[in-house]
């Protein structure tokens, strides 16, 4: 990206390249603990080290716009948005199955548990039901999908990824009476992407 930004600036374009440090991650916390260092200290030292490598290279970074996700001035807004979603009933807690690594003692994304093993330690992953936070995007999926028509400058592949992420399901409940007076209820779903 840096070469492209330098090239565009040479052509007279006003190009912005801020720097952001994604500093709230389990690998950083695990590395800090493995090295006997507090996670905050480990993260700040790594940011300083990487920044020290970037400066001599003369990259086209606008350092006045630098941010780190571990800074309270940054994450306070994530918390603010989350609290607004909680107040509006968009965020809620429910129990759902997760991929659990008993060695690392953490929940893993599906991509981190491919083949039923933890991507970091290689041990078997367990399925557990745990309380977790969810967002009611399905309550807004029609609006989200319709509003994509207002951003025609996005590449079609990106729009399709967003459509797939939002998804849309149509289902039906069917009751089948069974001898003896009971009923079997079946719910079927079709997902449109």
């Amino acid at each position: 990206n840096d070469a492209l930004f330098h090239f565009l600036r040479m052509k007279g374009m006003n190009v912005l390249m801020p720097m952001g440090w994604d500093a709230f991650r389990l690998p950083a916390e695990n590395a800090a603990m493995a090295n006997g260092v507090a996670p905050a200290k480990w993260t700040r030292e790594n940011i300083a080290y990487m920044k020290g490598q970037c400066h001599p290279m003369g990259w086209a970074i606008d350092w006045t716009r630098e941010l780190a996700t571990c800074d309270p001035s940054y994450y306070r807004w994530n918390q603010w948005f989350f609290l607004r979603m909680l107040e509006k009933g968009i965020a809620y807690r429910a129990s759902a199955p997760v991929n659990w690594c008993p060695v690392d003692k953490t929940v893993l994304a599906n991509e981190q548990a491919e083949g039923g093993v933890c991507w970091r330690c290689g041990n078997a992953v367990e399925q557990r039901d745990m309380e977790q936070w969810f967002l009611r995007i399905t309550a807004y999926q029609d609006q989200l999908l319709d509003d994509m028509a207002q951003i025609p400058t996005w590449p079609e592949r990106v729009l399709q990824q967003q459509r797939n992420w939002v998804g849309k399901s149509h289902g039906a409940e069917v009751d089948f009476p069974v001898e003896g007076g009971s009923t079997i209820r079946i719910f079927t779903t079709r997902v449109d992407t």
Side-chain angles (χ1 to χ4, degrees), residues 73-191:
S73 63
Y74 176 84
Y75 67 73
R76 74 180 293 258
W77 293 108
N78 288 9
Q79 292 171 340
W80 184 86
F81 278 118
F82 179 80
L83 290 173
R84 299 298 84 74
M85 289 189 286
L86 187 61
E87 289 169 4
K88 298 287 185 184
I90 298 168
Y92 65 98
R93 285 184 68 98
S95 184
V98 298
N99 300 309
W100 176 260
C101 177
V103 174
D104 288 338
K105 296 182 179 13
T106 189
V107 173
L108 302 170
N110 289 338
E111 296 80 8
Q112 297 172 319
E114 287 187 84
V117 297
C118 176
W119 69 286
R120 187 176 307 113
C121 70
N123 286 313
V125 172
E126 301 171 0
Q127 291 292 305
R128 288 191 180 179
D129 278 342
M130 295 181 80
E131 281 279 310
Q132 51 193 306
W133 288 101
F134 291 89
L135 299 177
R136 285 183 214 286
I137 63 163
T138 54
Y140 301 93
Q141 75 190 156
D142 287 336
Q143 181 181 349
L144 289 168
L145 292 168
D146 291 345
D147 286 352
M148 285 184 206
Q150 298 178 32
I151 46 176
T153 56
W154 281 18
E156 180 54 35
R157 66 179 174 75
V158 174
L159 289 169
Q160 189 57 47
Q161 288 170 342
Q162 293 300 308
R163 287 185 204 104
N164 292 342
W165 178 76
V166 171
K168 187 168 183 176
S169 63
H170 303 274
E173 286 186 23
V174 181
D175 292 337
F176 294 97
V178 178
E179 274 186 42
S182 60
T183 303
I184 295 176
R185 175 166 288 161
I186 298 175
F187 181 76
T188 61
T189 302
R190 182 186 90 234
V191 177

Side-chain angles (χ1 to χ4, degrees), residues 34-47:
N35 286 283
V37 179
K41 184 177 188 302
W42 177 265
T43 299
R44 293 293 176 194
E45 287 176 354
N46 277 290
I47 289 173

